[in-house]
Amino acid sequence: MDYQALLGDVNTIAKDAGAAILEVYRRDDPEVTYKDDQSPLTEADRASHRQIVAALGGLEPSLPVLSEESRDDVFAAREGWDRFWLVDPLDGTKEFIKRNGEFTVNIALIENGQPTLGVVYAPDLDLNYFAAQGVGAYKQQGGASAEEIRVVAEVSQPLKVVASRSHRNAETETFLERLEANGFAPEIQAIGSSLKFCLIAAGEAHLYPRFGPTMEWDTAAAQCVVEQAGGAVVDLAGEPLHYNKPDLHNPFFLVSGPDPLTWRPFATVHV
Protein backbone atom coordinates (compact mmCIF):
# COMPACT_ATOMS: atom_id res chain seq x y z
CA MET A 1 0.00 0.00 0.00
CA ASP A 2 1.22 3.50 -0.85
CA TYR A 3 0.68 5.08 2.56
CA GLN A 4 2.31 8.33 1.45
CA ALA A 5 -0.24 8.92 -1.31
CA LEU A 6 -3.12 7.74 0.85
CA LEU A 7 -2.06 10.10 3.62
CA GLY A 8 -2.28 13.06 1.25
CA ASP A 9 -5.83 12.10 0.32
CA VAL A 10 -6.90 11.64 3.92
CA ASN A 11 -5.38 14.99 4.90
CA THR A 12 -7.56 16.63 2.27
CA ILE A 13 -10.65 14.79 3.52
CA ALA A 14 -9.97 15.88 7.11
CA LYS A 15 -9.50 19.51 6.10
CA ASP A 16 -12.68 19.50 4.02
CA ALA A 17 -14.55 18.10 7.02
CA GLY A 18 -12.94 20.80 9.14
CA ALA A 19 -14.32 23.45 6.81
CA ALA A 20 -17.81 22.00 7.25
CA ILE A 21 -17.36 22.12 11.03
CA LEU A 22 -16.22 25.74 10.96
CA GLU A 23 -19.26 26.75 8.95
CA VAL A 24 -21.40 25.66 11.92
CA TYR A 25 -18.90 26.84 14.57
CA ARG A 26 -19.06 30.42 13.34
CA ARG A 27 -22.81 30.67 13.70
CA ASP A 28 -24.18 32.62 16.62
CA ASP A 29 -26.00 29.69 18.22
CA PRO A 30 -25.29 26.22 16.83
CA GLU A 31 -27.92 23.67 17.80
CA VAL A 32 -26.91 21.14 20.46
CA THR A 33 -28.71 17.89 21.24
CA TYR A 34 -27.76 15.03 23.56
CA LYS A 35 -27.28 11.32 22.97
CA ASP A 36 -28.53 8.55 25.26
CA ASP A 37 -25.28 8.75 27.27
CA GLN A 38 -25.78 12.53 27.64
CA SER A 39 -22.77 13.35 25.46
CA PRO A 40 -23.43 16.39 23.26
CA LEU A 41 -24.10 16.24 19.53
CA THR A 42 -24.12 19.21 17.15
CA GLU A 43 -24.95 19.81 13.54
CA ALA A 44 -21.20 20.07 12.99
CA ASP A 45 -20.71 16.43 14.13
CA ARG A 46 -23.31 15.29 11.63
CA ALA A 47 -22.01 17.46 8.76
CA SER A 48 -18.44 16.27 9.28
CA HIS A 49 -19.57 12.64 9.48
CA ARG A 50 -21.50 12.82 6.20
CA GLN A 51 -18.60 14.45 4.37
CA ILE A 52 -15.96 12.04 5.65
CA VAL A 53 -17.96 8.88 5.01
CA ALA A 54 -18.77 9.93 1.45
CA ALA A 55 -15.17 10.91 0.70
CA LEU A 56 -13.68 7.73 2.17
CA GLY A 57 -16.18 5.68 0.20
CA GLY A 58 -14.93 7.29 -2.99
CA LEU A 59 -11.31 6.80 -2.00
CA GLU A 60 -11.43 3.11 -1.03
CA PRO A 61 -14.91 1.76 -1.86
CA SER A 62 -14.19 -1.70 -0.47
CA LEU A 63 -13.27 -0.50 3.02
CA PRO A 64 -15.99 -0.19 5.69
CA VAL A 65 -16.17 2.90 7.88
CA LEU A 66 -16.84 2.84 11.61
CA SER A 67 -17.72 6.34 12.79
CA GLU A 68 -18.86 7.62 16.14
CA GLU A 69 -21.96 8.99 14.44
CA SER A 70 -22.89 5.76 12.64
CA ARG A 71 -21.50 3.23 15.03
CA ASP A 72 -22.66 -0.34 14.96
CA ASP A 73 -21.98 -1.81 18.37
CA VAL A 74 -22.91 -5.31 17.24
CA PHE A 75 -19.60 -7.13 16.97
CA ALA A 76 -21.00 -9.77 14.63
CA ALA A 77 -21.43 -7.08 11.98
CA ARG A 78 -17.74 -6.11 12.03
CA GLU A 79 -15.71 -8.98 13.49
CA GLY A 80 -14.40 -9.92 10.03
CA TRP A 81 -13.04 -6.45 9.33
CA ASP A 82 -9.28 -6.82 8.86
CA ARG A 83 -9.02 -3.33 7.33
CA PHE A 84 -11.40 -0.42 7.93
CA TRP A 85 -11.59 3.30 8.57
CA LEU A 86 -12.19 4.44 12.15
CA VAL A 87 -13.48 8.00 12.40
CA ASP A 88 -14.39 10.57 14.99
CA PRO A 89 -15.92 13.36 12.88
CA LEU A 90 -15.67 15.87 15.74
CA ASP A 91 -13.57 14.93 18.74
CA GLY A 92 -14.04 17.38 21.59
CA THR A 93 -17.64 18.42 21.07
CA LYS A 94 -17.61 19.96 24.56
CA GLU A 95 -14.67 22.13 23.49
CA PHE A 96 -16.59 23.05 20.33
CA ILE A 97 -19.53 24.17 22.46
CA LYS A 98 -17.21 26.14 24.77
CA ARG A 99 -15.67 27.75 21.65
CA ASN A 100 -12.07 27.28 22.76
CA GLY A 101 -10.90 25.80 19.44
CA GLU A 102 -9.59 22.56 20.97
CA PHE A 103 -11.57 20.12 18.82
CA THR A 104 -10.36 17.84 16.06
CA VAL A 105 -11.26 15.62 13.12
CA ASN A 106 -9.81 12.13 13.61
CA ILE A 107 -9.43 9.62 10.76
CA ALA A 108 -7.51 6.36 11.13
CA LEU A 109 -6.89 3.33 8.97
CA ILE A 110 -7.03 0.16 11.08
CA GLU A 111 -5.30 -2.99 9.84
CA ASN A 112 -5.39 -6.19 11.89
CA GLY A 113 -6.42 -4.29 14.99
CA GLN A 114 -3.74 -1.58 14.86
CA PRO A 115 -3.75 1.99 13.42
CA THR A 116 -1.39 2.20 10.43
CA LEU A 117 -2.40 5.68 9.25
CA GLY A 118 -3.79 8.59 11.23
CA VAL A 119 -4.79 12.20 10.71
CA VAL A 120 -5.72 14.59 13.52
CA TYR A 121 -6.82 17.99 12.23
CA ALA A 122 -7.83 20.93 14.45
CA PRO A 123 -9.82 23.17 12.08
CA ASP A 124 -10.15 26.28 14.23
CA LEU A 125 -6.37 26.23 14.86
CA ASP A 126 -5.63 25.16 11.27
CA LEU A 127 -3.24 22.66 12.78
CA ASN A 128 -2.71 19.20 11.31
CA TYR A 129 -0.91 16.15 12.68
CA PHE A 130 -0.56 13.13 10.44
CA ALA A 131 1.36 9.88 10.27
CA ALA A 132 1.54 6.52 8.55
CA GLN A 133 3.47 3.32 8.93
CA GLY A 134 6.91 3.69 7.40
CA VAL A 135 6.29 7.36 6.55
CA GLY A 136 6.82 9.04 9.92
CA ALA A 137 4.82 11.61 11.88
CA TYR A 138 4.36 15.25 10.91
CA LYS A 139 2.92 18.53 12.14
CA GLN A 140 1.71 21.25 9.80
CA GLN A 141 0.51 24.70 10.82
CA GLY A 142 -1.66 26.39 8.20
CA GLY A 143 0.06 26.68 4.85
CA ALA A 144 3.57 26.18 6.24
CA SER A 145 5.65 23.19 5.26
CA ALA A 146 5.05 20.03 7.27
CA GLU A 147 7.71 19.28 9.88
CA GLU A 148 8.62 15.81 11.08
CA ILE A 149 8.01 15.35 14.81
CA ARG A 150 9.49 13.07 17.48
CA VAL A 151 8.68 12.34 21.09
CA VAL A 152 11.06 13.31 23.86
CA ALA A 153 13.36 10.34 24.37
CA GLU A 154 14.50 11.26 27.91
CA VAL A 155 12.36 12.94 30.53
CA SER A 156 13.63 16.13 32.12
CA GLN A 157 12.26 18.35 34.87
CA PRO A 158 9.70 19.76 35.02
CA LEU A 159 7.69 16.73 33.95
CA LYS A 160 5.23 18.10 31.39
CA VAL A 161 1.92 16.28 31.80
CA VAL A 162 -1.15 16.83 29.66
CA ALA A 163 -4.60 16.18 31.05
CA SER A 164 -8.16 16.40 29.85
CA ARG A 165 -9.78 19.82 30.07
CA SER A 166 -13.25 18.31 30.53
CA HIS A 167 -12.65 14.88 32.13
CA ARG A 168 -10.27 15.22 35.11
CA ASN A 169 -11.05 12.77 37.92
CA ALA A 170 -9.82 11.61 41.33
CA GLU A 171 -7.62 8.86 39.85
CA THR A 172 -5.77 11.38 37.72
CA GLU A 173 -5.31 13.78 40.64
CA THR A 174 -3.92 10.99 42.82
CA PHE A 175 -1.56 9.95 40.03
CA LEU A 176 -0.22 13.52 39.80
CA GLU A 177 0.18 13.72 43.58
CA ARG A 178 2.17 10.46 43.57
CA LEU A 179 4.45 11.77 40.85
CA GLU A 180 5.20 14.84 42.94
CA ALA A 181 5.74 12.79 46.09
CA ASN A 182 8.33 10.69 44.24
CA GLY A 183 10.52 13.59 43.15
CA PHE A 184 8.92 14.62 39.89
CA ALA A 185 7.65 18.13 39.40
CA PRO A 186 4.58 17.77 37.19
CA GLU A 187 3.70 20.82 35.16
CA ILE A 188 0.10 20.37 34.05
CA GLN A 189 -1.34 21.53 30.76
CA ALA A 190 -5.09 21.03 30.29
CA ILE A 191 -6.20 20.66 26.70
CA GLY A 192 -9.15 19.10 24.92
CA SER A 193 -9.62 16.28 22.41
CA SER A 194 -6.87 14.17 20.84
CA LEU A 195 -4.55 17.19 20.84
CA LYS A 196 -3.21 15.75 24.11
CA PHE A 197 -1.65 12.85 22.20
CA CYS A 198 -0.24 15.22 19.61
CA LEU A 199 1.64 17.28 22.21
CA ILE A 200 3.38 14.06 23.26
CA ALA A 201 4.15 13.16 19.63
CA ALA A 202 5.62 16.60 18.94
CA GLY A 203 7.91 16.49 21.97
CA GLU A 204 6.03 19.33 23.66
CA ALA A 205 4.96 17.19 26.64
CA HIS A 206 6.18 14.00 28.30
CA LEU A 207 3.13 12.15 29.56
CA TYR A 208 -0.63 11.80 29.18
CA PRO A 209 -2.33 9.49 31.72
CA ARG A 210 -5.94 8.57 31.00
CA PHE A 211 -7.92 6.90 33.79
CA GLY A 212 -11.37 7.65 32.44
CA PRO A 213 -13.66 6.35 29.70
CA THR A 214 -12.73 6.72 26.03
CA MET A 215 -13.87 5.00 22.86
CA GLU A 216 -11.82 3.53 20.03
CA TRP A 217 -12.53 6.44 17.67
CA ASP A 218 -11.21 8.86 20.30
CA THR A 219 -7.70 7.41 20.20
CA ALA A 220 -6.89 5.54 16.97
CA ALA A 221 -5.67 8.35 14.70
CA ALA A 222 -3.69 10.01 17.47
CA GLN A 223 -2.18 6.69 18.57
CA CYS A 224 -0.76 6.29 15.07
CA VAL A 225 0.77 9.78 15.24
CA VAL A 226 2.39 9.04 18.62
CA GLU A 227 3.72 5.63 17.58
CA GLN A 228 5.19 6.87 14.32
CA ALA A 229 6.84 9.70 16.28
CA GLY A 230 8.62 7.09 18.43
CA GLY A 231 6.24 7.01 21.39
CA ALA A 232 3.76 4.53 22.77
CA VAL A 233 0.09 4.31 23.74
CA VAL A 234 -0.38 1.36 26.08
CA ASP A 235 -2.85 -0.03 28.56
CA LEU A 236 -1.76 -0.59 32.15
CA ALA A 237 -0.37 -4.03 31.25
CA GLY A 238 1.93 -2.43 28.67
CA GLU A 239 0.00 -3.56 25.59
CA PRO A 240 -0.79 -1.17 22.71
CA LEU A 241 -4.45 -0.27 22.45
CA HIS A 242 -6.23 -2.70 20.15
CA TYR A 243 -9.09 -1.86 17.78
CA ASN A 244 -12.33 -3.47 16.63
CA LYS A 245 -12.90 -5.16 19.96
CA PRO A 246 -16.31 -6.60 20.85
CA ASP A 247 -16.63 -3.71 23.31
CA LEU A 248 -15.52 -0.44 21.69
CA HIS A 249 -14.49 1.14 25.00
CA ASN A 250 -10.75 1.54 25.58
CA PRO A 251 -9.05 0.42 28.78
CA PHE A 252 -7.24 3.04 30.86
CA PHE A 253 -3.96 3.95 29.21
CA LEU A 254 -0.69 5.89 29.26
CA VAL A 255 0.79 7.95 26.42
CA SER A 256 4.46 8.88 26.54
CA GLY A 257 7.84 8.52 24.92
CA PRO A 258 9.40 5.11 24.32
CA ASP A 259 9.06 3.77 27.90
CA PRO A 260 5.50 4.41 29.17
CA LEU A 261 5.53 1.73 31.86
CA THR A 262 7.93 3.93 33.84
CA TRP A 263 4.75 5.63 35.02
CA ARG A 264 2.61 2.60 35.80
CA PRO A 265 3.61 2.34 39.50
CA PHE A 266 2.08 5.77 40.14
CA ALA A 267 -1.37 4.69 38.98
CA THR A 268 -4.00 3.78 41.57
CA VAL A 269 -5.75 1.45 39.12
CA HIS A 270 -4.09 -1.66 37.70
CA VAL A 271 -5.02 -4.60 35.50
Side-chain angles (χ1 to χ4, degrees):
M1 176 173 289
D2 186 349
Y3 288 113
Q4 183 90 50
L6 189 59
L7 197 52
D9 292 331
V10 178
N11 277 335
T12 298
I13 292 170
K15 290 180 179 181
D16 288 345
I21 290 171
L22 291 180
E23 193 277 326
V24 179
Y25 187 64
R26 290 170 178 154
R27 296 178 189 171
D28 291 337
D29 189 21
E31 180 184 351
V32 181
T33 59
Y34 290 87
K35 305 176 190 177
D36 292 342
D37 64 0
Q38 295 305 302
S39 60
L41 177 68
T42 71
E43 184 181 343
D45 295 80
R46 293 187 288 265
S48 177
H49 162 77
R50 290 191 297 268
Q51 186 146 340
I52 292 170
V53 171
L56 291 175
L59 184 62
E60 292 277 344
S62 64
L63 290 188
V65 179
L66 178 60
S67 167
E68 179 178 11
E69 305 313 333
S70 67
R71 59 190 184 189
D72 182 351
D73 290 338
V74 180
F75 183 57
R78 52 183 170 81
E79 64 179 328
W81 294 3
D82 294 328
R83 297 175 69 240
F84 67 99
W85 297 108
L86 183 55
V87 174
D88 192 340
L90 177 50
D91 182 34
T93 302
K94 290 183 179 179
E95 315 310 326
F96 176 94
I97 295 168
K98 294 174 186 176
R99 295 181 175 273
N100 65 19
E102 295 173 359
F103 51 87
T104 59
V105 176
N106 298 346
I107 304 175
L109 176 65
I110 306 298
E111 299 184 273
N112 299 313
Q114 293 300 310
T116 56
L117 179 149
V119 173
V120 176
Y121 178 57
D124 192 50
L125 307 175
D126 198 11
L127 179 60
N128 196 32
Y129 296 89
F130 56 95
Q133 188 172 281
V135 175
Y138 296 85
K139 173 183 178 180
Q140 184 176 29
Q141 178 71 66
S145 298
E147 299 180 355
E148 189 165 11
I149 54 176
R150 298 292 295 176
V151 299
V152 175
E154 296 184 6
V155 174
S156 58
Q157 297 280 27
L159 180 67
K160 296 181 180 180
V161 181
V162 287
S164 173
R165 190 179 294 283
S166 300
H167 300 282
R168 288 277 284 273
N169 58 16
E171 290 83 0
T172 304
E173 297 301 331
T174 301
F175 178 84
L176 297 173
E177 291 168 3
R178 287 184 171 186
L179 287 174
E180 190 163 9
N182 282 273
F184 294 96
E187 181 181 278
I188 314 303
Q189 179 176 357
I191 192 168
S193 73
S194 53
L195 289 171
K196 294 181 285 294
F197 289 77
C198 297
L199 291 180
I200 304 294
E204 298 171 27
H206 299 111
L207 175 62
Y208 167 34
R210 184 59 185 241
F211 307 126
T214 59
M215 304 298 289
E216 290 190 3
W217 44 75
D218 294 321
T219 59
Q223 177 174 336
C224 182
V225 174
V226 170
E227 290 177 342
Q228 297 305 315
V233 180
V234 300
D235 64 23
L236 297 184
E239 295 298 320
L241 298 191
H242 192 80
Y243 294 89
N244 201 27
K245 303 183 302 297
D247 181 348
L248 293 167
H249 288 84
N250 290 318
F252 296 162
F253 59 84
L254 299 166
V255 184
S256 79
D259 193 14
L261 288 188
T262 299
W263 312 110
R264 183 177 181 269
F266 304 107
T268 58
V269 284
H270 297 289
V271 292

